[in-house]
Every structure is written in structure tokens, then in C-alpha cells.
Amino acid sequence: MIPYRKSENRYRFFNASMDGYLETAPDIRQGEVYVPASFVSMFDAGTGDELLLRIAREGRDLPLRIGGFYEDPAMGSAMIGM
């Protein structure tokens, strides 16, 4: 996971139809996560789906709601295999 810092302005967030980008970054709410667009093809994920983050060290799961999808130019090459 990479913490989001609005001031860095390096992320591009997809619009709801995934055919373009939002003009401004969304307000990410508590319990919400934005995931790479590859989650759509790899896991059939959609906005509003629950993502369960397993925290092994604490022995618990953290449910997070998928708020949308992003493209990160700096990490883009790392996603090519996905």
C-alpha cells in the first residue's frame, strides 16, 4: 500500500466509466481505498466492492471499500505484467 498525498499530484484517477480521468482528485474517505486499474481485469473488482486486507502481525482483517481506480505513472511499469 502507498499512502496518498494530495500535494504530490502524481496519481491519475479514472472516471466511473474507466474511459478517462477525473479532473480533480477524489476525496478519499475513511475505510476507502483506490486500487490500480488492473484489479478490474485480474479480480473483476468494481467500485463499492469490499477488499479485505489481512494484517497477519495483528491477526485480524481490515475491510476496505473500493472507491475507484487509479493510474500511477511512476508505478505504471510495475503493473505491466498484471
Side-chain angles (χ1 to χ4, degrees), residues 11-17 20-27 34 67-69:
Y11 298 95
R12 292 167 44 156
F13 295 90
F14 286 102
N15 61 23
S17 57
Y21 301 103
L22 298 175
E23 295 209 12
T24 59
D27 289 322
Y34 279 68
F69 302 91

Side-chain angles (χ1 to χ4, degrees), residues 1 3 7 10-12 23 28-29 32-33 36 40 42 46 50 52 54 61 66-69 71 74 81:
M1 294 186 74
S7 62
R10 69 182 237 189
Y11 298 95
R12 292 167 44 156
E23 295 209 12
I28 300 174
R29 294 175 268 206
E32 189 174 65
V33 65
V40 176
M42 290 181 63
E50 183 178 83
L52 205 55
R54 176 146 293 143
D61 294 334
I66 296 177
F69 302 91
E71 173 189 81

Side-chain angles (χ1 to χ4, degrees), residues 33-55:
V33 65
Y34 279 68
V35 295
S38 62
F39 274 48
V40 176
S41 60
M42 290 181 63
F43 307 114
D44 196 28
T47 301
D49 287 351
E50 183 178 83
L51 175 74
L52 205 55
L53 179 64
R54 176 146 293 143
I55 305 171

